[in-house]
Amino acid sequence: MTHDHGTPPVRVGVLGTASIAWRRVLPAMTACPDVEVVAVASRDPRRARRFADRFGCAAVTGYEALLERADVEAVYVPLPAALHRRWAARALEAGRHVLVEKPMATTAPEARELTALAERRALVLRENFMFLHHPRHQAVSELLRDGRIGRLRMLHASFCVPPLSPDDIRYTRELGGGALLDTGVYPLRTAVRFLGRGLRVTGATLRVRPGDGLDVSGQVLLAADSGVLASLDFGFEHGYGARYTLWGDRARLTADQAVSPPAELRTQLLIEEQDRVEQLLLPPADQFKACVAEFAAAVRGAGASRGTGRAAWHADAVATLELVDAVRERAVRVPCEDGGPEIA
């Protein structure tokens, strides 16, 4: 099978049967002519078979067995966060390109280790932050550059979701659970996207379960070298919300539904001045397909896959986890009696 330009699609194997793979990523991959899903691996043969039946690929029992397949040239890793580094590294060591769910590791040193391994092996390593691939963020950057809101002074970003199912793996510390590594990395990455690297954590608070200290929500204050300030909110215990606001000395610019807008939605940017409000409607875009296509292009050596482009992706991933580490170190921890399911 080849697409319009005669280039064969990137043959992808999937390590794990997570919900995000079932709901979002594998449907995008099967809809992308540049990608062919050839196999899905699980430790549970029934789970692998369920995915294989839906997505028209082979079912594999065990992750190592998938890495041994000659027909797999790239690997998608939707495992729990604590397993990202191990299996992304194994895939890179096996000579496979890697698309790993966010965050690519649980600490900045782990992320540096992974990116260095990818560089040494000349392989593509991408973190699956799908929201970054929606074109409206580029539209926001252009409005900023054009001075539409004046000089930027402050960024606010939030991503909060309602409480999860009691058996959700994100409530398990050993698997890299907690709100900071799940919802928290979105506003942190948004800050890196618009304010650049080298941000300092000037304050942080985490609401934690008394039994095991698992963080269920939090707030972070950041300062950029430019003097721009940022305040971020995240958590598992709120009505759903995902938005960011850039506040300049002339106006505020807000993007709502910032994490996963439906592909058919005409997204909106709101610009608020003292005596005037403007709504900008942008064309629909499928960020899931865009993310998958960009990964395939990187594997095939196109676009931003070489040199500065690849280095920028790696540096942003490390910078985000440096902020995560700094939040862990600095945070004031506030016990909460109602934060998620009680531990046994």
Side-chain angles (χ1 to χ4, degrees), residues 143 148-149 245 250-255 268-281:
L143 289 165
R148 184 64 184 80
I149 65 169
T245 298
R250 283 182 45 208
R252 287 185 303 176
L253 189 162
T254 299
Q268 169 183 293
L269 298 177
L270 189 69
I271 300 176
E272 299 171 273
E273 300 177 62
Q274 185 168 335
D275 53 2
R276 179 170 173 266
V277 176
E278 180 182 0
Q279 287 182 320
L280 302 177
L281 274 179

Side-chain angles (χ1 to χ4, degrees), residues 92-113:
L92 291 167
E93 288 161 356
R96 308 302 198 270
H97 304 283
V98 174
L99 178 66
V100 59
E101 268 307 322
K102 54 80 205 161
M104 71 165 59
T106 59
T107 67
E110 290 180 355
R112 287 190 205 100
E113 178 188 310

Side-chain angles (χ1 to χ4, degrees), residues 153-159 187-188 190-191 195 202-203 218-223 228-234 243-245 247:
R153 301 301 191 201
M154 201 170 285
L155 178 149
H156 299 297
S158 304
F159 183 32
L188 287 170
T190 300
L195 305 183
T202 60
Q219 295 176 312
V220 178
L221 299 177
L222 303 174
V228 177
L229 307 180
S231 61
L232 318 176
D233 313 291
F234 57 90
R243 65 182 56 85
Y244 62 83
T245 298
W247 203 334

Side-chain angles (χ1 to χ4, degrees), residues 161-285:
V161 300
L164 311 170
S165 166
D167 59 354
D168 195 289
I169 60 168
R170 288 169 289 180
Y171 285 130
T172 305
R173 281 184 68 101
E174 299 73 33
L175 293 177
L180 177 60
L181 277 179
D182 189 70
T183 54
V185 290
Y186 283 90
L188 287 170
R189 190 57 173 267
T190 300
V192 172
R193 167 70 174 77
F194 290 109
L195 305 183
R197 301 170 208 128
L199 298 168
R200 286 172 293 142
V201 175
T202 60
T205 309
L206 294 173
R207 273 172 54 91
V208 299
R209 292 195 303 201
D212 63 353
L214 183 91
D215 54 287
V216 291
S217 66
Q219 295 176 312
V220 178
L221 299 177
L222 303 174
D225 289 342
S226 62
V228 177
L229 307 180
S231 61
L232 318 176
D233 313 291
F234 57 90
F236 293 154
E237 43 180 10
H238 312 72
Y240 183 88
R243 65 182 56 85
Y244 62 83
T245 298
L246 297 161
W247 203 334
D249 59 7
R250 283 182 45 208
R252 287 185 303 176
L253 189 162
T254 299
D256 208 344
Q257 289 189 281
V259 168
S260 57
E264 66 280 1
L265 182 72
R266 293 188 67 193
T267 53
Q268 169 183 293
L269 298 177
L270 189 69
I271 300 176
E272 299 171 273
E273 300 177 62
Q274 185 168 335
D275 53 2
R276 179 170 173 266
V277 176
E278 180 182 0
Q279 287 182 320
L280 302 177
L281 274 179
L282 303 179

